[in-house]
Amino acid sequence: MSNDVLVLAEHRDGAVSDVTFELLGKAREIAASWGGRTVALLLGQRELAAELGAADTVQCAEHAALETYNPEAYEAVVLQALEQLEPRLVLTSTTTVGLDLGAALSVRWDAPLVSYVTGLSAGDGTALATAQIYGGKLLAEVELSGPRALCAVLAGSFPHAAGRGETAPTVETLDATGLLDDLRTVVTSVVSPEGGDVDITAADLLVSVGRGIGSQANLEVVEELAEALGAPLAASRPLIDQGWLPKARQVGKSGLSVKPKVYLMFGISGAPEHLEGMRDAELVIACNTDAKAPIFDVADYGTTVDLFDLVPELVSRVAG
Amino acid sequence: MRIAVLLKQIPDLVEDLELAPDGTDVDREFLAFTLNEFDDQALEEALCLKDAGDAEVVAVALEEPDVDQCLYTALAKGADRAVKLTGAGEGWIDGHRRSAILAAWLATAEFDLILTGVQAADDLDGQLPPLLAARLGLPHASVVVRVELKGQVALVRQELGGGTVADEELRLPAVIGIQAARQAPRYASISRIRQAQQAGGLEEVGAPATDAGPGYHLVRLLAPEAAGHAQMLGGSAGEVAERIVELIRAKGL
Ligand SMILES: Cc1cc2nc3c(=O)[nH]c(=O)nc-3n(C[C@H](O)[C@H](O)[C@H](O)COP(=O)(O)OP(=O)(O)OC[C@H]3O[C@@H](n4cnc5c(N)ncnc54)[C@H](O)[C@@H]3O)c2cc1C
Ligand SMILES: Nc1ncnc2c1ncn2[C@@H]1O[C@H](COP(=O)(O)O)[C@@H](O)[C@H]1O
């Protein structure tokens, strides 16, 4: 065992993901208090190592099977790295990569895992994690006192400035020979999002609608408002999965991230996966009949008036 | 082709969650339970695979409040068998233990494909699909929105975030966590569910024993203290609308 903190670096479309810098900043803080090092693990795309200067060392593995995320290939290489490096704490994010790998490594490397972590501090010989549960309705405080642990951190939980290092890190090579010869998982293609009929990421004003709308037929109500305001209509995931609106309208973790000047939302509860896509909006106005909906913890202005009462009033004021 | 679909009941989040006296679980006594929404998607995808070819669909669940109803609903929708693993205990069971119980049973039943929901809201120690796959030594992918079968290979589409997706081929058997089925979940009428109930056919099997656990110490659950709270706009719908229009205008829009 060491006192090192290891960060699994993530990249997409040839760039290091923002959440990786959040993890690096937090890792440095914890490693410093334990007297250990900060290690970044970078699979594929070795040229990105230069950006990971907040780490003391970057461990790189390269192989054709690691160019883009392949659950089985990544898992094999990360597992070997953990066995060799024996970090005390491993930080991943709660993206698809983090979700897939975290739990599998927890079993295979035999280390406890806390998922959806939003707070993390080093105690005397322990780590104390705070994690969201029940869609953010409750928090769990968890003590990790064993010799190794994994935490999957919710994006947006820590500042990323502390994880952007100035100096070039030491880069070392991890040997993946023999690990990736007989994979049962093959990635055949990676498809980036297609442009939709409208670009919701470019709008200054967005009207966004969630499951509170109840049915596809009811969508007309908010469509009329969006039109009157000259704003595109965005939505939460369940509406897209129902096929009520095209995928290019989805805001959130697995959809698009938006930063409008005003985000006007109706019938959206504020699940962490939705917040991930609209946290940077300048002004958030939320309509939700449930006064305890988590969205009111992040919105600037809120109302519990029923959307079916409110939207027609808005339409008449804007159109009139 | 034998497909297992794992179903799980979770507390209905529309309700308030009260804490149990010891502070490490929610008070389950008066809670309403409902099927995890992603499991409904997993069941739909399994039934679509059955519709498209020759597959047997087995719905599997640990004993939990109202779980019989959800297993009978699966039968009414077209699942061939429903299995309930009993005796694992009451209250919240952590993911490590759940995955160990389910893996032990699944290993005895020779499945080609295991579908689960991508995650459930009461996850604290990781998501079941990778936990299960690691125990069974199988390939896995989560956050999947499409599954097709070609012989002993599953073609899946995995969402990587930000709208980017990867198409992957997994050699079976494999474990797949479903985010969304290819179509909205089908509906089973109350009378069909009743019929399934009357026909019986729920198989009950004792849950295999395990000493697996999450390996950490859960200190307590607590209600989050919000960093901020929206300024609430009171008054009639008309008054609230008036204020919202002003707020938008104030932003120069
Ligand atoms: C891996 C993963 C990725 C995900 N990615 C995304 C993503 O990219 N984007 C996303 O949005 N979600 C995503 N989700 C889903 C997310 O967890 C939530 O399920 C989803 O955001 C909930 O959508 P919602 O708020 O519209 O619905 P609900 O949570 O059902 O909320 C509906 C709300 O409407 C309110 N309401 C009901 N009637 C009315 C009325 N008449 N007037 C006003 N309010 C009303 C209710 O009080 C309720 O709060 C993802 C989940 C997973 C597991
Ligand atoms: N007790 C259980 N019984 C059956 N299936 C389960 C159980 N727990 C989890 N699952 C399955 O695993 C998925 C992910 O659950 P979880 O990882 O617990 O969030 C669920 O959506 C179910 O499909």
Side-chain angles (χ1 to χ4, degrees):
Chain A
M1 182 187 104
S2 68
N3 282 322
D4 297 348
V5 182
L6 183 142
V7 169
L8 178 64
E10 283 188 40
H11 49 83
R12 206 170 58 208
D13 302 326
V16 176
S17 307
D18 274 352
V19 66
T20 296
F21 298 109
E22 293 184 35
L23 300 183
L24 281 171
K26 184 46 94 171
R28 279 174 65 95
E29 175 197 318
I30 301 220
S33 80
W34 285 344
R37 295 174 316 150
T38 303
V39 181
L41 183 56
L42 175 65
L43 307 191
Q45 316 234 353
R46 188 186 179 99
E47 65 283 2
L48 297 177
E51 290 181 43
L52 306 176
D56 298 305
T57 64
V58 182
Q59 299 279 343
C60 291
E62 283 196 295
H63 187 282
L66 302 175
E67 278 302 298
T68 58
Y69 176 60
N70 172 324
E72 188 181 0
Y74 268 51
E75 189 174 309
V77 174
V78 177
L79 179 63
Q80 177 185 274
L82 298 185
E83 283 167 348
Q84 284 172 3
L85 302 169
E86 277 293 330
R88 172 107 177 250
L89 177 66
V90 178
L91 303 184
T92 70
S93 81
T94 55
T95 56
T96 296
V97 175
L99 292 184
D100 256 359
L101 293 181
L105 292 167
S106 169
V107 169
R108 296 187 66 191
W109 189 48
D110 193 17
L113 162 69
V114 191
S115 200
Y116 281 89
V117 167
T118 55
L120 189 60
S121 60
D124 189 17
T126 60
L128 210 62
T130 308
Q132 283 190 348
I133 186 167
Y134 295 112
K137 279 200 149 186
L138 292 177
L139 294 175
E141 278 179 9
V142 178
E143 195 176 54
L144 295 155
S145 51
R148 43 167 85 156
L150 298 143
C151 287
V153 175
L154 185 65
S157 298
F158 307 130
H160 34 79
R164 294 190 193 265
E166 310 277 286
T167 52
T170 326
V171 180
E172 290 171 21
T173 301
L174 275 172
D175 184 10
T177 318
L179 285 179
L180 306 171
D181 295 340
D182 184 30
L183 293 176
R184 291 169 288 174
T185 308
V186 179
V187 178
T188 51
S189 67
V190 176
V191 188
S192 296
E194 294 163 22
D197 50 343
V198 288
D199 182 4
I200 60 168
T201 63
D204 281 338
L205 172 62
L206 270 181
V207 175
S208 196
V209 59
R211 192 142 51 185
I213 195 70
S215 74
Q216 183 167 22
N218 290 345
L219 270 180
E220 216 177 292
V221 178
V222 278
E223 270 162 356
E224 197 185 342
L225 175 64
E227 203 168 304
L229 285 167
L233 185 64
S236 66
R237 169 140 210 162
L239 274 65
I240 312 296
D241 287 343
Q242 288 282 344
W244 295 352
L245 283 168
K247 185 81 181 170
R249 309 292 188 96
Q250 184 184 323
V251 171
K253 174 181 181 141
S254 46
L256 297 166
S257 290
V258 297
K259 280 192 219 179
K261 287 192 179 142
V262 179
Y263 191 65
L264 181 57
M265 52 203 301
F266 299 94
I268 296 180
S269 62
E273 292 85 3
H274 189 81
L275 302 184
E276 238 182 278
M278 44 68 70
R279 218 178 9 229
D280 295 331
E282 276 178 38
L283 183 77
V284 176
I285 307 172
C287 161
N288 191 311
T289 43
D290 175 8
K292 288 192 176 164
I295 192 59
F296 292 129
D297 296 338
V298 275
D300 299 289
Y301 291 89
T303 173
T304 53
V305 170
D306 193 300
L307 82 87
F308 295 105
D309 296 328
L310 180 60
V311 174
E313 293 287 344
L314 280 165
V315 171
S316 71
R317 274 167 183 74
V318 176
Chain B
M1 178 71 52
R2 183 181 288 167
I3 304 174
V5 186
L6 308 191
L7 305 177
K8 173 179 171 182
Q9 295 285 108
I10 59 165
D12 192 340
L13 293 185
V14 172
E15 314 226 342
D16 282 341
L17 298 176
E18 304 284 340
L19 295 179
D22 84 336
T24 61
D25 194 2
V26 293
D27 187 347
R28 290 168 185 268
E29 192 161 335
F30 302 107
L31 270 184
F33 283 77
T34 167
L35 177 64
N36 179 17
E37 61 176 301
F38 303 117
D39 299 10
D40 207 18
Q41 303 283 342
L43 176 61
E44 181 58 35
E45 194 63 19
L47 294 172
C48 287
L49 290 170
K50 179 180 167 176
D51 294 342
D54 185 22
E56 179 192 12
V57 173
V58 184
V60 184
L62 290 190
E63 187 169 32
E64 269 167 316
D66 303 332
V67 81
D68 288 12
Q69 169 81 9
C70 115
L71 286 168
Y72 280 121
T73 305
L75 288 170
K77 286 183 174 185
D80 299 283
R81 291 170 54 199
V83 177
K84 179 167 79 169
L85 302 179
T86 60
E90 285 176 18
W92 183 69
I93 305 179
D94 61 81
H96 280 65
R97 183 138 176 272
R98 260 189 276 129
S99 66
I101 296 168
L102 289 161
W105 184 78
L106 289 163
T108 65
E110 296 191 4
F111 287 99
D112 301 289
L113 182 62
I114 298 167
L115 298 185
T116 79
V118 57
Q119 65 174 45
D122 61 354
D123 273 348
L124 184 54
D125 59 334
Q127 288 62 40
L128 192 91
L131 287 172
L132 196 59
R135 291 190 194 280
L136 292 166
L138 298 179
H140 61 93
S142 276
V143 202
V144 164
V145 291
R146 183 189 298 170
V147 183
E148 260 175 73
L149 296 173
K150 214 171 72 187
Q152 282 303 106
V153 173
L155 313 180
V156 309
R157 172 160 281 197
Q158 181 174 43
E159 289 193 349
L160 297 180
T164 303
V165 297
D167 287 330
E168 294 159 22
E169 298 182 359
L170 274 70
R171 212 184 303 156
L172 299 182
V175 182
I176 295 173
I178 301 287
Q179 165 90 52
R182 65 187 79 173
Q183 62 184 38
R186 64 195 69 189
Y187 176 76
S189 66
I190 304 282
S191 66
R192 292 276 300 277
I193 299 172
R194 280 241 181 81
Q195 268 173 22
Q197 257 159 346
Q198 274 152 12
L202 192 64
E203 299 166 45
E204 296 196 16
V205 181
T210 168
D211 56 8
Y216 56 59
H217 172 55
L218 172 59
V219 182
R220 61 174 181 148
L221 297 180
L222 63 157
E225 229 174 82
H229 195 278
Q231 190 176 327
M232 299 307 282
L233 306 173
S236 68
E239 285 159 355
V240 172
E242 196 67 51
R243 282 286 285 133
I244 291 177
V245 171
E246 281 169 23
L247 287 166
I248 296 173
R249 295 262 150 81
K251 277 281 180 187
L253 299 168

